[in-house]
Amino acid sequence: MITRAADADEQRWLAPGEALATTGEFTMYALPEGAQGPTTVALAPDGTAWFTLGSDAIGRMDPDGSNVRLYPLPNANSAPRIIALGADGNMWFSEHLGNRIGRITPDGEIAEFPIPTPNSQPRAIALGGDGNIWFGMFAAGKIGRITPDGEITEFDIPTPDSGPRALAAGPDGNIWFSEFKASKIGRITPDGEITEFTLPRPNSGPGDITAGADGNMWFVELAGTMDGISPDGNRVGRITMDGEITEFPIPSQTGSPINIAVGPDRNVWYTKGDRIGRVTPDGEITEFEVPGPVARAVGLSAGSDRQPPERLTNRLWFTDGAGHRLGFLHFE
């Protein structure tokens, strides 16, 4: 289903500081058979969209929806989750059940690196300002760092069983992460020094996190039941570099916010069921309904991939895990 001609505005990278306004229109691309359950998406330097699949594969798509290719992972039941661009120009991803960090080249060559701690359940992954990939180990309560050559170092989070769910590079050169089970936001320096900030409400379930264009970190607070917990979230949060926290309730009551990213307008956006929401720096929220009879928006990216938004396209890409589609929201 395409709701607007994709060639009406060809994909391009924005100039520094450039901001666009959304038209509220979507373009949707159906994935081929075998591409089940797209989860997260990230953009390569050439604008290609790379995405993880619940069917144990990594996918890629040209900006116009063509040349879709699927790269099966070497091991079944790997459950790839988050994908991000690395400093080496390759795409890196976490294998939640496979307990590995993966790397895929632009040509589709895959390498996997086992995590020393068994059954650590890696989820979060992001490129740090130090050129290394950082990742969160949900079950192990640790933050990991992997060099482009595959050397892994692990750091224990002070709060036991905190459930690090997501992480992102901040404008301060540190990595910021959410502690889903502990209702905290953490910060780790490149040398491994960790500071934790307690959220105002217990059981708020912080999830995905990203650096905003305003110099703060933004995150979602989950809702519903997941990982044996029923968080009282359904909010978008903001934390300053000094640890000051503000929360903004999401107007829609059904579903849970999942992923968060900076859009081409340099506002923060989130996915939530059949909707994509926009949050302005002062907390004003607007939601847009994804077209289609069945839609479950999950991952999204305009190119910054959980980093300070220095590389953005004029499109906000997202995955539709229920409709098995990739789509983008138009901006001009």
Side-chain angles (χ1 to χ4, degrees):
M1 174 182 180
I2 298 179
T3 60
R4 176 177 171 179
D7 58 2
D9 54 345
E10 292 186 358
Q11 179 167 286
R12 65 180 179 85
W13 293 99
L14 301 185
E18 183 181 2
L20 306 177
T22 183
T23 65
E25 298 174 289
F26 293 82
T27 291
M28 305 298 301
Y29 298 116
L31 295 176
E33 184 177 354
Q36 299 299 303
T39 306
T40 62
V41 59
L43 301 182
D46 63 358
T48 302
W50 289 78
F51 48 96
T52 55
L53 290 162
S55 48
D56 281 328
I58 303 298
R60 54 89 64 208
M61 173 188 286
D62 283 352
D64 63 357
S66 67
N67 199 22
V68 177
R69 297 181 184 177
L70 306 181
Y71 303 96
L73 297 184
N75 299 285
N77 301 317
S78 293
R81 284 292 180 90
I82 311 298
I83 190 167
L85 176 66
D88 56 359
N90 298 314
M91 307 305 292
W92 290 73
F93 55 94
S94 60
E95 297 184 20
H96 181 63
L97 297 182
N99 203 49
R100 293 175 289 264
I101 299 300
R103 180 186 67 203
I104 185 167
T105 68
D107 294 329
E109 182 179 346
I110 295 174
E112 297 175 306
F113 305 95
I115 295 172
T117 299
N119 302 315
S120 68
Q121 295 185 356
R123 289 190 179 180
I125 190 168
L127 174 63
D130 58 355
N132 297 313
I133 290 289
W134 291 75
F135 58 96
M137 301 151 71
F138 184 78
K142 299 179 180 180
I143 300 297
R145 180 185 66 206
I146 183 169
T147 68
D149 294 330
E151 181 181 351
I152 293 177
T153 306
E154 299 178 339
F155 304 94
D156 291 315
I157 297 172
T159 300
D161 194 28
S162 59
R165 195 177 188 95
L167 53 74
D172 57 354
N174 298 315
I175 295 291
W176 291 72
F177 58 93
S178 61
E179 300 180 33
F180 174 71
K181 295 181 180 180
S183 291
K184 296 179 180 179
I185 299 295
R187 180 184 65 205
I188 183 170
T189 68
D191 294 330
E193 181 181 348
I194 295 178
T195 304
E196 296 175 294
F197 303 94
T198 302
L199 296 181
R201 299 174 304 104
N203 195 34
S204 53
D208 199 24
I209 186 170
T210 194
D214 59 353
N216 300 311
M217 304 302 294
W218 289 76
F219 57 94
V220 294
E221 297 179 2
L222 306 182
T225 300
M226 52 200 72
D227 297 303
I229 296 175
S230 299
D232 178 25
N234 201 37
R235 291 169 169 80
V236 174
R238 180 185 66 206
I239 182 169
T240 68
M241 296 299 98
D242 295 328
E244 181 181 348
I245 296 167
T246 307
E247 297 172 310
F248 304 100
I250 294 176
S252 59
Q253 295 301 304
T254 59
S256 174
I258 299 297
N259 282 128
I260 192 168
V262 174
D265 56 357
R266 301 190 183 272
N267 290 313
V268 169
W269 291 75
Y270 62 86
T271 53
K272 188 187 185 197
D274 61 356
R275 294 176 291 276
I276 293 180
R278 179 185 64 205
V279 189
T280 64
D282 60 0
E284 181 181 350
I285 294 178
T286 306
E287 294 186 329
F288 300 82
E289 186 174 351
V290 177
V294 177
R296 179 170 56 85
V298 188
L300 79 169
S301 175
S304 63
D305 298 342
R306 298 174 176 82
Q307 291 182 288
E310 297 172 356
R311 54 185 300 271
L312 293 171
T313 69
N314 60 333
R315 297 176 177 178
L316 181 61
W317 286 85
F318 62 96
T319 61
D320 174 5
H324 311 300
R325 303 179 296 174
L326 251 64
F328 63 86
L329 185 60
H330 288 257
F331 291 74
E332 61 184 24

